[in-house]
Structures are given as structure tokens and as C-alpha cells.
Amino acid sequence: MTRMKIVSAAVALACLGMAQVACATDVFRLEGFGAVSRAMGGVATAIDTGAAGMMTNPATLSLMKEGSEVMAGLDLVTTDIEVRNKATGESASSGGHSRNRGPYAAPEAAFTRRVGEWAFGVGAFAQGGLGTEYGRSSFLSRASGGLDTGLDNSSRLLVLNIPFAASFKATEKLSIGGSIDAMWQGLNLNLLLGADQVGSLIGSGRATGSLIPVLGGLPDLRGAHFSLTKNQPLASGVDAWGYTGRLGFVYKATDTTTLGAAYTSKSHLADMSGRATLTAIDGAAGQIPLAGKIRIQDFQMPATLNLGVSQRVTERLLLAADVSQVYWKSVMKDIKVAFEADSGGDLQIRLPQDYKDQTILALGGAYQVNEQLTLRAGLRYATQALRSSTLFAVIPATPRKHLSAGVGYAFSPASRLDFAWSHAFSDGMDNSSLPNTSAPMHVSHSQDNATLNYTYRF
């Protein structure tokens, strides 16, 4: 097989195998890319983490050895999410209610080549996402007045990056890198809003359109349900393509100390569009479904600034630290929904989110036991980006604290296997505020991530 065929096969594997992406742990973003970074708490700005380093700082490609590498891997994420109704004591757990969600698996693949002062890379990685599945029979599927609807409450967001990266060793100490990433994101969503939530949105000017009088004219409106989902491994109810860019550098301050910095721009993604059903729920008339077109407008991934340092303490021991600033505030003020019914009429809704910018500290270490075996461990702590007053049960991206560990084993100078495990400690949040919840609720969320990468040099 030629090198070009190897590259094409690797990227195709990741793109076609991107079955499901987990509820990410830095809000919608995974807490590290590749098994080396993940095992070390997500550090990746000033160390060689292999091909996955292009997702954080493409200049780290210049830290790799001369030659070519192909990498294939898999992320597996299991979540433990529970929503408790504080008024009644009822609980709803996110589990395997559907073939569409959880546990979550995300293949990844990449090819890199370093020749002289230049290094190049191309790959496909899950940047992150979210996923919940509460089924059809919990209190979340109950409309105003205690009316059971039998309607689903669930979510699945997939975000895929396909970076094309290059790095140049400008001097013996300084390397500069950049990438252009093609991006794809897809969303499945089933969401029930009670009549009080609908009324709150209308009263605050967050729900407008010609369908508002239609809903208001129903004799006993109890709620409204949006369904934009496909129960298939790859397909999403709405999706969109776009791009982002990334610049970075690494600087060897001394023989044992390396500094790094990288900036990833805010994404430029088109509106996610597709088909949806808006179901009006009435106590007298029953359920009234309206099929139509839907757009999730200007749903973007945030810009990120990463600063990092690594220290070679001994020939066998490496320590590293990253500080990241994630600019959620500028991209996640509202979730904007525009619906046009096939039978006529439209509805525009702005669901408040009002995220805060997030600061993340990652600490990691690697110890090379011998020529074959390397042990890794890390810690990660993030400030909270979500606000309790705008929390949704279907978007419970609350974990902030992680512990990670991993191992790497070299079968030969050309072949190695890296494994990482990361635990997101349970984090809880309350919300009793309209319009994002009707019942006062407490949401708790923890999860475990496992990552396995195989790398072959040639």
C-alpha cells in the first residue's frame, strides 16, 4: 500500500467511523486529544503527544522524530448522569434507552511526516460533543399539569475536526506551526417544554413568529415538544460544515525546558439545518404534530488560548503544565432555533445559555521505566462555564475535575500502543428558573473516558 493510500484509509476510517461522541468534559470539548495527552491531564502545548498534538498546538509536530507515522485510535466514554426533581424526589437517569446514544465511541486517525525542517500532518478527530438519553417515561416527559406525553427527551451533539497542519523549525530553538481544520457538527435533540416554559419565552420576547397565536389559541395548552433526531450511527437531525484555524509555537528555552503557546480561532460553521417536528400538547385536543424545516443558528465552538511548559527533570521523567482560556461567552449566549412548518407559519426561539469564559489548568507527568514501557498520570481542573439559572437537563456539561493515568508500550522502534483512562468526578448543579426548566431540578454528572492509540512509524 502506498503512503497516500495509507493516509486516505486512516482519515476515511475516522470520518466514517465517527459513530457517537460523548458528553464532553470541558463543556462540549474533550479534555485532551490522543492517549498520550489524555493520560497526562490533557497537556499538549509544549510536549510531543504524537499526531494528536496538531489539535492543540501544530508546532509540536516539529518535536517528533524524522520520518512518517500513521496513527489509529478509539475513544470510549461512559457517562453517569442523573436529574432529580427536587419537588417530588423523582429521578431520571441518562442511559441506554436508544441505539442512538451511549456508551459513546469515537474513532480517530492521522498521518504525519517530518522531513528536515518541515513537518506535516492530516487527521480526523472528535473535538467533542454531548449526549443524553432520558427516555419517554420520566418526569422530564411530563407536560404542565402532570400530563404524561410519552415523548422523548434526549440529545446528541457531534463535533468533528479534520486538521491539515504544518510546522517549520525556524531555528534550533523555535518552531512555528499552523493548521486549517475542516469542521462538521451534527445535532440530534428531543426537548419538551412545559406550558409555563413556553409562556416565559413568549413573555420575555424570546419566542416570536406566526405560530405563537396558533399555540395560544389552543383550548388547554400544556407544552411543546421539538424533535430533530435520527436514530442512526452517523446521521443527525441537523448538521453543518465549516472551518477553523490554529497557530502555535514551541521554544526550547534550555536543553530541558520547553515553552509553548497556541491559539485556535472561533469556528465558522454554517447554520445547522434539517427536518423537525414541533408537537403542540393540549389537554383537550391531544398532541398536534407540525412537520417542517428547522435551523439552529450560529452554533459555534469557541476560540481557545493555550500556554504550556514542559520540564525534562531527568532522562526518564518529564513534567508538563498547560493553562487554557476557552472563550465560551462570545459563542454561547443563546441557542437560536428557527422553525418553518410545511403547512405554513414560523417560530423563532432563543433559549438562554449565557456561558462564562472558562480557565483550565492541566498538570501531567510521564516516566519512562525502560525502552519499552512509559507510565503517565495527570490532573485537570476547570472553572465552571455553565450558569445554574440556564441549565438544561439535556445539556448537563458540568464536570470540572479530572484524574487521569495511562501507559505506553513500544513493541519495536516502529510500533507502539498507548492507553489512557480519565475520570471526571461528579459535579452537581441546581436550577429552578424558567424558561429552561419547569420543575426545580438537581443535575449530577460524572464519567469515565478510555483512549487507545496504535502508532506505526515507517
Side-chain angles (χ1 to χ4, degrees):
M1 181 180 286
T2 67
R3 289 179 179 177
M4 184 56 67
K5 288 182 178 179
I6 291 174
V7 177
S8 300
V11 174
L13 172 65
C15 290
L16 294 176
M18 191 62 59
Q20 299 169 350
V21 176
C23 195
T25 49
D26 292 338
V27 188
F28 303 145
R29 301 169 68 251
L30 290 170
E31 74 277 18
F33 303 101
V36 175
S37 174
R38 185 75 60 80
M40 297 175 66
V43 295
T45 309
I47 63 171
D48 176 14
T49 61
M54 72 179 88
M55 284 289 291
T56 302
N57 184 1
T60 60
L61 294 180
S62 290
L63 301 177
M64 300 175 70
K65 296 178 181 179
E66 291 251 355
S68 301
E69 287 188 0
V70 62
M71 184 273 285
L74 180 72
D75 276 319
L76 181 66
V77 180
T78 59
T79 60
D80 184 4
I81 304 170
E82 183 179 69
V83 182
R84 179 169 55 86
N85 186 326
K86 296 176 67 177
T88 66
E90 298 170 279
S91 293
S93 297
S94 176
H97 296 281
S98 167
R99 63 180 178 176
N100 189 31
R101 290 160 285 272
Y104 303 92
E108 57 189 23
F111 169 81
T112 59
R113 179 166 175 77
R114 183 180 170 196
V115 181
E117 310 302 327
W118 283 95
F120 303 93
V122 59
F125 298 89
Q127 185 190 104
L130 64 92
T132 63
E133 176 57 75
Y134 297 109
R136 302 169 180 266
S137 59
S138 77
F139 72 91
L140 295 172
S141 296
R142 194 179 302 149
S144 296
L147 179 64
D148 289 324
T149 67
L151 296 172
D152 197 9
N153 275 270
S154 59
S155 62
R156 188 191 73 184
L157 173 70
L158 314 177
V159 184
L160 169 67
N161 277 50
I162 305 173
F164 298 86
S167 181
F168 178 69
K169 189 175 181 180
T171 70
E172 285 301 312
K173 292 180 176 291
L174 177 66
S175 297
I176 302 170
S179 72
I180 295 293
D181 295 19
M183 292 185 69
W184 176 86
Q185 67 179 8
L187 175 67
N188 285 338
L189 181 65
N190 288 287
L191 176 64
L192 174 64
L193 300 174
D196 54 347
Q197 294 174 273
V198 175
S200 177
L201 290 167
I202 295 172
S204 61
R206 289 182 167 274
T208 59
S210 60
L211 287 175
I212 294 295
V214 177
L215 293 174
L218 292 173
D220 186 16
L221 180 67
R222 300 293 187 91
H225 181 267
F226 277 101
S227 179
L228 44 145
T229 188
K230 294 181 179 178
N231 283 317
Q232 299 173 14
L234 295 176
S236 295
V238 293
D239 63 358
W241 281 90
Y243 66 93
T244 188
R246 189 176 297 109
L247 291 173
F249 75 85
V250 289
Y251 180 77
K252 290 192 69 67
T254 69
D255 289 341
T256 58
T257 304
T258 302
L259 307 176
Y263 179 79
T264 301
S265 70
K266 182 184 81 170
S267 66
H268 298 271
L269 288 152
D271 292 347
M272 289 187 284
S273 61
R275 300 284 300 173
T277 299
L278 169 62
T279 301
I281 300 155
D282 188 85
Q287 297 184 8
I288 308 167
L290 297 173
K293 299 176 183 178
I294 197 166
R295 287 183 296 125
I296 309 298
Q297 299 173 312
D298 197 28
F299 193 96
Q300 305 295 337
M301 293 297 106
T304 305
L305 175 65
N306 295 291
L307 304 175
V309 59
S310 66
Q311 180 67 42
R312 176 65 64 180
V313 181
T314 68
E315 287 189 3
R316 295 185 180 273
L317 178 62
L318 174 69
L319 299 178
D322 279 9
V323 176
S324 303
Q325 188 74 2
V326 187
Y327 298 98
W328 286 108
K329 184 177 180 179
S330 64
V331 298
M332 203 56 64
K333 182 173 178 57
D334 298 310
I335 298 176
K336 292 171 279 190
V337 181
F339 177 77
E340 295 181 11
D342 294 340
S343 57
D346 64 285
L347 181 64
Q348 292 81 41
I349 296 178
R350 291 183 296 113
L351 299 168
Q353 291 295 276
D354 199 23
Y355 283 15
K356 296 173 285 187
D357 290 342
Q358 187 179 40
T359 302
I360 304 168
L361 173 65
L363 303 172
Y367 182 75
Q368 187 175 7
V369 178
N370 52 45
E371 291 299 319
Q372 289 77 38
L373 181 64
T374 301
L375 304 178
R376 305 181 180 102
L379 299 168
R380 189 175 184 87
Y381 177 82
T383 59
Q384 184 58 263
L386 281 68
R387 298 180 187 271
S388 61
S389 60
T390 57
L391 178 68
F392 268 115
V394 293
I395 312 178
T398 57
R400 298 174 297 126
K401 293 171 284 189
H402 300 80
L403 176 68
S404 61
V407 60
Y409 189 83
F411 299 99
S412 71
S415 174
R416 75 174 187 270
L417 190 68
D418 295 293
F419 171 79
W421 163 84
S422 175
H423 176 71
F425 291 93
S426 180
D427 213 333
M429 184 175 286
D430 295 335
N431 186 14
S432 57
S433 303
L434 292 170
N436 289 7
T437 186
S438 182
M441 65 178 181
H442 176 80
V443 178
S444 62
H445 175 193
S446 66
Q447 67 184 46
D448 288 280
N449 296 7
T451 306
L452 188 67
N453 291 156
Y454 176 75
T455 302
Y456 181 75
R457 292 184 54 80
F458 56 94

